[in-house]
Amino acid sequence: AQKVTQAQTEISVVEKEDVTLDCVYETRDTTYYLFWYKQPPSGELVFLIRRNSFDEQNEISGRYSWNFQKSTSSFNFTITASQVVDSAVYFCALSEASGGRRALTFGSGTRLQVQP
Amino acid sequence: GAGVSQSPRYKVAKRGQDVALRCDPISGHVSLFWYQQALGQGPEFLTYFQNEAQLDKSGLPSDRFFAERPEGSVSTLKIQRTQQEDSAVYLCASSLGQGPSYEQYFGPGTRLTVT
């Protein structure tokens, strides 16, 4: 069965620090998709990125970057020069291609607090 | 364009009451999902629709939970004889396609409190 682990429950940083959020996943599928979502205090989950299992290229989008390593089953998320507006709960999620299952399996989330 | 909307945003029910939660997905989105999010946890899958067909209801915790999407658009999640353990945020999500690669877009959720 699939599983997503976010071992960091809460991280607190000061503005402008870099911060990395860890995500480790388990799946038996060879084809799968990994996602990151942001949940600000308003509560609505916001899609950030999707990666497929065949593409291990790292991705950068502005201050955000993602490091996908199949060898360690990890899909970590780094925020460079953090800002107060980055304060939120961040979720890593997994979906598998086989079996017709379309649901996302989420980790328990990492709460990021960025202090001014 | 409009995102996923859910109503009501907040619902307080007395134990034993029935509740109905509504989801309006993004127009044209084929897939619709319901998730339950307990405080401090990640969302957990309840059920999935492809158009009007309920293809996966493996996450529904009991037969008190029932979902429908009769015309392939709006969906309703119904909980009968609510219990305190049903207190949670219920999230609806929709995606454009039917494959696992499509990102899901979430609504703001309905916070259900059972007293």
Side-chain angles (χ1 to χ4, degrees), chain A residues 41-115:
Chain A
S42 61
E44 193 160 332
L45 281 157
V46 177
F47 166 76
L48 296 178
I49 191 172
R50 175 196 62 237
R51 302 298 286 175
N52 73 56
S53 52
F54 297 110
D55 184 1
E56 285 192 73
Q57 218 172 5
N58 290 334
E59 182 151 342
I60 297 174
S61 176
R63 296 184 297 106
Y64 295 171
S65 62
W66 290 269
N67 181 269
F68 175 29
Q69 291 195 339
K70 285 179 78 170
S71 60
T72 55
S73 297
S74 64
F75 184 43
N76 296 338
F77 172 29
T78 297
I79 302 174
T80 302
S82 59
Q83 299 177 1
V84 173
V85 293
D86 296 327
S87 297
V89 181
Y90 291 86
F91 291 96
C92 180
L94 165 74
S95 69
E96 295 173 328
S98 70
R101 183 174 169 82
R102 296 291 175 259
L104 289 171
T105 298
F106 285 86
S108 55
T110 297
R111 180 178 299 277
L112 174 65
Q113 294 197 342
V114 182
Q115 310 287 348

Side-chain angles (χ1 to χ4, degrees), chain B:
Chain B
V4 178
S5 61
Q6 294 186 245
S7 61
R9 291 293 312 277
Y10 303 91
K11 177 70 179 177
V12 179
K14 291 188 175 170
R15 193 174 61 177
Q17 281 185 333
D18 297 349
V19 298
L21 313 180
R22 176 187 169 106
C23 172
D24 281 87
I26 295 172
S27 178
H29 277 200
V30 168
S31 298
L32 185 145
F33 303 80
W34 284 98
Y35 292 85
Q36 181 189 60
Q37 186 175 22
L39 193 63
Q41 300 296 317
E44 292 196 355
F45 170 74
L46 293 176
T47 187
Y48 159 62
F49 290 86
Q50 182 181 310
N51 295 307
E52 68 279 2
Q54 189 175 20
L55 298 187
D56 187 351
K57 51 182 181 180
S58 63
L60 295 176
S62 78
D63 58 9
R64 296 186 296 105
F65 286 70
F66 172 76
E68 59 184 6
R69 193 186 185 198
E71 296 177 1
S73 179
V74 170
S75 177
T76 304
L77 176 67
K78 297 178 180 177
I79 309 173
Q80 297 177 323
R81 305 180 304 282
T82 52
Q83 303 294 315
Q84 282 196 314
E85 61 263 28
D86 300 335
S87 295
V89 176
Y90 290 85
L91 296 168
C92 177
S94 69
S95 66
L96 181 61
Q98 59 193 40
S101 66
Y102 287 88
E103 58 265 31
Q104 296 178 23
Y105 294 91
F106 284 79
T110 295
R111 182 177 297 276
L112 173 65
T113 303
V114 181
T115 60

